Amino acid sequence: MTRHVELVQALRRSGHRLTPQRESVLTVMAENAQHLTAEEILARVRARYPYLNKSAVYRALALLTELGLVNQTDLGRGRVEYELHRHPHHHHLICRRCQQMTQIDHALLATLGEKLARDFGFQADLDHFAIFGTCKKCQTRASKHSKRHSH
Amino acid sequence: MTRHVELVQALRRSGHRLTPQRESVLTVMAENAQHLTAEEILARVRARYPYLNKSAVYRALALLTELGLVNQTDLGRGRVEYELHRHPHHHHLICRRCQQMTQIDHALLATLGEKLARDFGFQADLDHFAIFGTCKKCQTRASKHSKRHSH
DNA sequence: TTAAGTGCAAATCATTTGCATGGAT
DNA sequence: ATCCATGCAAATGATTTGCACTTAA
């Protein structure tokens, strides 16, 4: 059973209608492993299926997120990025200086998740985390030229 | 030396001008331990000092953040919240369901920060983290009534 | 004096919403 | 036949920006 069929079934099982718009969103997301913005999803769907509206994209994404089929992440670019829920989870280190993004795997956050569950009974959504900071390269660069401007 | 004076000095040391607008923003932030939105800061300043504009607040906050005096956090409310940089750091567990916020201390994230530094040379900004998920109460609630609506 | 900073109003821009129409079940 | 979902255009709402004026240093 393909990923696409699984997703369609999950949608139906949840009691929601399978519309061509929703299906086209799923299709495009299944074809693209990387994060997509709502605008990108709209554009890619329209390349093949022109009958899709911006609102429908946002409404579909909200539903799919609610059903746990899609993850939303704010990668610091002023708009949310969407991706099909992946197993195993993955996360990102994002350099505030050069914007470089490094993917890291879930093991690094698993311990934290367990601690929060144990100590607080809090079930953290550690599906798709964005951690901001300074990458190795930029740290070196920063120590050479002082970052601060002094007029 | 008060916190306020320290902040003013840090601003001056960085080569920026101390304007009454910037100072009033700092004053209000020093008086409020909790996070404030730009709009809240504006309102509180204006209560005593009416000569402050929205743009000046945003520009001041951008500068103070750049200088490391202020932390910005997106607590999932559709607007950024600002707070003076604190020692030691603290973080938040935010329940997606009931919006309840629990403050947790930095120790819980320290290990993660060290791991990222060791493994990737990445210096994570773990100053003020927001971790979303489901709180203990809401987990219990969720298992009683199914979360999914089935029309 | 003079570059940096501010005020104002308009612009941005992703996302949301009201309402009439359409279509999946 | 229902009533859930869509299209459209307008609204929202936080944040940003252009530009002329002001002021801290």
Side-chain angles (χ1 to χ4, degrees):
Chain A
M1 187 162 66
T2 66
R3 188 78 209 270
H4 182 264
V5 172
E6 275 175 26
L7 293 163
V8 166
Q9 290 189 348
L11 187 61
R12 282 214 152 104
R13 224 180 301 122
S14 71
H16 295 276
R17 292 183 184 168
L18 178 65
T19 62
Q21 287 87 345
R22 284 175 176 167
E23 186 169 15
S24 68
V25 168
L26 280 175
T27 303
V28 161
M29 295 189 81
E31 286 172 2
N32 291 274
Q34 77 278 31
H35 320 107
L36 296 172
T37 65
E39 205 59 50
E40 284 166 350
I41 292 169
L42 179 62
R44 292 185 195 209
V45 169
R46 277 188 169 167
R48 283 175 296 174
Y49 173 79
Y51 313 106
L52 180 63
N53 186 273
K54 209 193 317 181
S55 314
V57 174
Y58 279 107
R59 291 193 269 229
L61 289 169
L63 174 62
L64 295 170
T65 302
E66 196 191 316
L67 297 177
L69 305 179
V70 160
N71 283 138
Q72 302 193 8
T73 316
D74 179 357
L75 266 4
R77 303 197 191 143
R79 61 220 136 93
V80 175
E81 306 198 22
Y82 302 85
E83 180 172 84
L84 287 184
H85 189 87
R86 281 207 228 169
H87 293 288
H89 305 321
H90 69 291
H91 311 281
H92 298 280
L93 303 179
I94 301 163
C95 181
R96 285 213 153 97
R97 228 188 180 221
C98 69
Q99 319 308 323
Q100 191 213 73
M101 235 173 68
T102 309
Q103 189 166 315
I104 65 174
D105 73 50
H106 185 62
L108 283 148
L109 286 182
T111 314
L112 174 62
E114 285 154 20
K115 254 194 262 177
L116 296 176
R118 193 187 330 118
D119 297 1
F120 302 92
F122 188 85
Q123 189 186 350
D125 289 351
L126 299 178
D127 288 351
H128 197 180
F129 227 58
I131 300 176
F132 295 88
T134 313
C135 74
K136 200 176 205 164
K137 250 184 244 165
C138 288
Q139 284 171 52
T140 318
R141 233 180 281 157
S143 58
K144 284 179 186 160
H145 342 276
S146 164
K147 227 185 288 189
R148 307 269 193 279
H149 46 158
S150 46
H151 352 229
Chain B
M1 186 162 66
T2 66
R3 187 78 208 271
H4 182 264
V5 172
E6 276 175 24
L7 293 164
V8 166
Q9 290 189 348
L11 187 61
R12 282 214 153 102
R13 225 179 302 120
S14 70
H16 295 274
R17 292 182 185 169
L18 178 65
T19 64
Q21 288 87 344
R22 284 173 177 169
E23 186 168 14
S24 68
V25 168
L26 281 175
T27 303
V28 162
M29 294 189 80
E31 286 172 2
N32 292 272
Q34 77 278 33
H35 320 107
L36 296 172
T37 64
E39 205 59 50
E40 284 165 351
I41 292 169
L42 179 62
R44 292 186 194 208
V45 169
R46 278 188 170 166
R48 282 174 297 174
Y49 174 80
Y51 313 106
L52 180 62
N53 186 273
K54 208 193 318 181
S55 314
V57 174
Y58 280 107
R59 291 192 269 230
L61 290 170
L63 173 63
L64 295 169
T65 302
E66 196 190 316
L67 297 176
L69 305 178
V70 161
N71 282 137
Q72 303 194 7
T73 317
D74 178 356
L75 265 6
R77 304 196 190 144
R79 60 221 136 95
V80 175
E81 307 199 20
Y82 303 84
E83 178 172 85
L84 287 183
H85 190 88
R86 283 206 226 169
H87 292 290
H89 306 320
H90 69 291
H91 311 280
H92 297 281
L93 303 180
I94 302 163
C95 180
R96 284 214 153 96
R97 228 189 181 222
C98 70
Q99 319 307 323
Q100 192 214 71
M101 236 173 67
T102 309
Q103 190 165 314
I104 65 174
D105 73 51
H106 185 62
L108 284 149
L109 286 182
T111 313
L112 175 63
E114 285 156 19
K115 255 195 262 178
L116 296 177
R118 192 186 330 117
D119 297 0
F120 302 92
F122 188 86
Q123 189 187 349
D125 289 352
L126 298 179
D127 289 350
H128 197 180
F129 228 57
I131 300 177
F132 295 88
T134 313
C135 74
K136 201 176 203 164
K137 250 184 244 165
C138 288
Q139 285 169 53
T140 318
R141 233 179 280 158
S143 59
K144 284 179 188 161
H145 342 276
S146 164
K147 225 184 288 188
R148 306 269 193 279
H149 46 158
S150 46
H151 354 230

